[in-house]
């Protein structure tokens, strides 16, 4: 039975294997299969994977052998490396690299009273809106769910986090 479980986990995409409390940056997740990640979590995950790939590459004996060894083709590994580097560059431009777990958890605690959905919260965190129009685009039925003061407070929270993120 254990062998079947391990094989199933190997076939499942990474986001399906996330368990409660086991996220790339150590942040607690509330649901068993919580597959929604913040930009910061994606950044941390890609950095970890890049470090792991570099370590595996150092363990291989020769440069020529490095191109043919392993389970995947050398070209596919290079493609993954290139895409990961491009995503990391993009995330660096968004400011996701300047966030940390403490700041994100503080933001999540601050927006909890607004009773936003998980997706709305993640989009707010990734986007950090600069105007009320952007808040209205992110929060479904914003006029009915939030008062004008609450919308302003939400915008202020996003601005505060943006300043901390640089």
């Amino acid at each position: 039975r254990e062998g079947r479980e391990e094989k199933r986990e190997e076939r499942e995409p990474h986001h399906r294997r996330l368990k409660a409390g086991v996220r790339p940056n150590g942040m607690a997740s509330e649901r068993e299969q919580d597959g929604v990640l913040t930009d910061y979590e994606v950044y941390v995950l890609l950095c970890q994977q890049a470090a792991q790939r570099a370590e595996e590459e150092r363990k291989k004996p020769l440069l020529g052998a490095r191109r043919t060894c392993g389970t995947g083709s050398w070209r596919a590994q290079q493609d993954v490396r290139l895409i990961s580097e491009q995503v990391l560059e993009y995330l660096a431009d968004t400011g996701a690299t300047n966030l940390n777990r403490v700041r994100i958890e503080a933001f999540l605690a601050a927006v909890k009273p607004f009773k936003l959905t998980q997706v709305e919260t993640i989009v707010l965190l990734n986007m950090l809106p600069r105007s009320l129009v952007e808040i209205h685009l992110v929060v479904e039925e914003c006029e009915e769910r939030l008062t004008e003061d609450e919308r302003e407070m939400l915008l202020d929270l996003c601005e505060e986090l943006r300043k901390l993120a640089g």
Side-chain angles (χ1 to χ4, degrees), residues 20-81:
V22 183
R23 296 193 59 162
N25 64 356
M27 290 178 60
S29 70
E30 297 176 6
R31 292 188 285 165
E32 182 69 18
Q33 292 189 340
D34 187 7
V36 181
L37 300 175
T38 65
D39 287 351
Y40 171 75
E41 291 169 314
V42 171
Y43 177 78
V44 169
L45 179 65
L46 288 176
C47 286
Q48 290 171 349
Q49 289 176 348
Q52 183 181 9
R53 279 193 305 272
E55 181 62 29
E56 289 171 1
E57 186 74 16
R58 279 191 290 276
K59 289 179 182 178
K60 293 179 183 175
L62 301 171
L63 181 60
R66 290 179 183 167
R67 291 184 172 207
T68 59
C69 287
T71 57
S73 72
W74 178 80
R75 180 67 184 157
Q77 292 171 0
Q78 294 300 86
D79 290 344
V80 168
R81 180 174 286 130

